[in-house]
Amino acid sequence: MINFTPGPSQLYFTVSDHIKKALKEGVPSLSHRSKEFEKLYDSAVSGLHELLGLPADYFIVFTGSATEIWERSLQNLVSDRSLHFVNGAFSKRYFEIATQLDKRPSKIEAKAGEGFASASIDSSYELIALTHNETSTGVSLSLPFINSFKGKQSESLVIVDAVSSLPHVDLDFSKIDSAFFSIQKGFGLPAGLGVWMANERCLAKAKQLASKKGAIGSYHSLPSLYSFYTKRQTPETPNVLAIYLLGKVVEDLLRRGIHTIRKETTYKAVLLYKTLEDHPLIKPFVSNASDRSETVIVADCGNHTKALTEFLTVRGFAPGEGYGEFKERHLRFANFPAHSKEQYECLADALQSFEGH
Ligand SMILES: *Cc1c(COP(=O)(O)O)cnc(C)c1O
């Protein structure tokens, strides 16, 4: 069975061998204060730097999940005002957490399945929070849109939730200040680790907030995560196995080549959208082609959702359910490095041959 759910998604095909090797080498019981741990932390972060083309002033720290980074980023980068672009359940959740933390957030909203018109905003926001890939509906923000905030809003920090689009999306990290993901989506790993990339402006802001208020997080704060990062350690006992596996899969992706992976992802996305567009019974949910995500492809199946799910399942494809209010009508198809070209070609053939009940 091939898992097309966006997350947890299909494991990258090398993961089970890496787990076996990790058990043999005693990785799961490695002390997080040992030289061996520092080495595997370093291998994961230097691999990510290379894979994603991170500038030298970015550092990488680990949390429990991306959900934790939603909270930590607001605690560490905002004293008072954040701005959120909201066009689905995940971007909305980020906004709600800001409300819970009393950050007086503002939001600019688009309808589900739609992107944003280019926004002119005032410069009073400390943090602009963008969700590159709205996993609930399959809408992506364009890179020119993401890159349009820095410079104009030189005081604001820009953070990008790229949980369901990395490593595919080729972010220009000089045009933003921070980005993050969790590993059970595009990296094809078991869940249990958030990866937070941030530059020195973020660190300076967090230190400034800490000196004023002190309440930027006691379990994890950016300054403490950073100071442990410089030793390639973590404040707490972390998910050592996940950090090890991330380093190994990043090595595998580097060997395959990020350009090849990105080209293949685009090829698979084009194939699936074409199949949906040509289909008499189902269609792409996102109607504007330039808003369509390449990594989470959402099909509007109308009242064929249940029949199509069964049809695909008996053929070995497990589609992702529609999210929230769209459960009855949508199916979602993750398009990650773990999903091969051949699997996508077979999936497209299967969809083509679906004739309803
Ligand atoms: C899945 C997801 C998250 C949350 O990730 P967790 O690992 O469950 O914390 C956040 N943002 C986006 C866009 C997601 O797809």
Side-chain angles (χ1 to χ4, degrees), residues 6 10 22 44 63 67 118 222 232 248 262 271 287 291 297 308 323 328 339:
Q10 180 72 17
T63 65
T67 302
S118 69
L222 207 51
R232 300 300 187 264
K248 290 296 174 194
R262 287 177 174 151
L271 175 68
S287 50
D291 291 330
I297 295 158
L308 181 55
Y323 197 90
E328 306 285 310
H339 302 101

Side-chain angles (χ1 to χ4, degrees), residues 69-79 82 84 94-95 97-99 101 103 127 129 196 209:
I69 301 169
W70 278 337
E71 173 165 300
R72 300 290 171 230
S73 60
L74 292 159
Q75 289 173 320
N76 282 262
L77 305 177
V78 184
S79 90
S82 56
H84 300 255
Y94 202 173
F95 170 79
I97 291 173
T99 310
L101 293 172
K103 301 295 181 185
L127 183 71
W196 188 4
L209 292 184

Side-chain angles (χ1 to χ4, degrees), residues 111-166:
K111 280 206 215 97
E114 294 180 12
F116 301 92
S118 69
S120 77
I121 56 175
D122 68 63
S123 58
S124 61
Y125 299 105
E126 296 167 89
L127 183 71
I128 297 171
L130 303 167
T131 302
H132 170 251
N133 200 63
E134 183 39 82
T135 317
S136 63
T137 57
V139 173
S140 271
L141 306 182
S142 76
L143 294 180
F145 182 80
I146 289 175
N147 297 346
S148 71
F149 294 97
K150 226 178 145 164
K152 257 192 298 183
Q153 309 290 335
S154 54
E155 288 308 300
S156 312
L157 295 169
V158 180
I159 189 165
V160 178
D161 174 341
V163 174
S164 59
S165 48
L166 281 172

Side-chain angles (χ1 to χ4, degrees), residues 299-339:
D300 186 345
C301 309
N303 51 15
H304 300 285
T305 309
K306 211 163 154 251
L308 181 55
T309 302
E310 279 161 21
F311 180 88
L312 290 175
T313 306
V314 298
R315 284 162 179 76
F317 306 107
E321 281 193 325
Y323 197 90
E325 61 180 306
F326 300 112
K327 226 183 190 89
E328 306 285 310
R329 295 185 61 89
H330 289 182
L331 290 177
R332 295 179 300 157
F333 297 94
N335 177 15
F336 295 152
H339 302 101

Side-chain angles (χ1 to χ4, degrees), residues 107-316:
K107 62 180 166 177
I108 293 177
E109 266 188 297
K111 280 206 215 97
E114 294 180 12
F116 301 92
S118 69
S120 77
I121 56 175
D122 68 63
S123 58
S124 61
Y125 299 105
E126 296 167 89
L127 183 71
I128 297 171
L130 303 167
T131 302
H132 170 251
N133 200 63
E134 183 39 82
T135 317
S136 63
T137 57
V139 173
S140 271
L141 306 182
S142 76
L143 294 180
F145 182 80
I146 289 175
N147 297 346
S148 71
F149 294 97
K150 226 178 145 164
K152 257 192 298 183
Q153 309 290 335
S154 54
E155 288 308 300
S156 312
L157 295 169
V158 180
I159 189 165
V160 178
D161 174 341
V163 174
S164 59
S165 48
L166 281 172
H168 174 60
V169 60
D170 191 5
L171 291 171
D172 181 346
F173 287 90
S174 71
K175 297 280 185 0
I176 60 176
D177 297 289
S178 182
F180 60 91
F181 64 90
S182 46
I183 61 173
Q184 76 277 16
K185 290 180 180 164
F187 285 80
L189 287 157
L193 196 68
V195 181
W196 188 4
M197 303 169 282
N199 66 14
E200 282 162 5
R201 289 183 74 209
C202 295
L203 184 62
K205 174 80 185 196
K207 284 181 175 165
Q208 182 211 335
L209 292 184
S211 68
K212 264 199 330 218
K213 282 194 178 172
I216 61 170
S218 57
Y219 165 50
H220 275 160
S221 71
L222 207 51
S224 96
L225 285 164
Y226 177 79
S227 86
F228 280 96
Y229 157 83
T230 60
K231 299 181 283 189
R232 300 300 187 264
Q233 289 190 10
T234 52
E236 83 292 13
T237 315
N239 188 338
V240 177
L241 179 61
I243 296 170
Y244 169 87
L245 294 173
L246 175 63
K248 290 296 174 194
V249 164
V250 166
E251 263 174 36
D252 297 333
L253 297 177
L254 279 167
R255 216 170 290 121
R256 211 168 127 196
I258 190 68
H259 298 294
T260 306
I261 292 166
R262 287 177 174 151
K263 249 188 8 219
E264 281 185 16
T265 304
T266 300
Y267 164 84
K268 289 180 287 168
V270 168
L271 175 68
L272 200 63
Y273 279 118
K274 171 109 182 60
T275 305
L276 294 175
E277 273 174 348
D278 292 345
H279 204 281
L281 302 175
I282 49 184
K283 59 177 199 302
F285 172 61
V286 179
S287 50
N288 185 354
S290 62
D291 291 330
R292 284 178 189 162
S293 165
E294 292 191 304
T295 54
V296 178
I297 295 158
V298 179
D300 186 345
C301 309
N303 51 15
H304 300 285
T305 309
K306 211 163 154 251
L308 181 55
T309 302
E310 279 161 21
F311 180 88
L312 290 175
T313 306
V314 298
R315 284 162 179 76

Side-chain angles (χ1 to χ4, degrees), residues 9-27:
S9 197
Q10 180 72 17
L11 293 182
Y12 197 66
F13 68 97
T14 57
V15 168
S16 72
D17 282 347
H18 290 317
I19 291 178
K20 281 184 209 138
K21 189 138 181 277
L23 288 171
K24 233 195 292 170
E25 292 175 356
V27 171

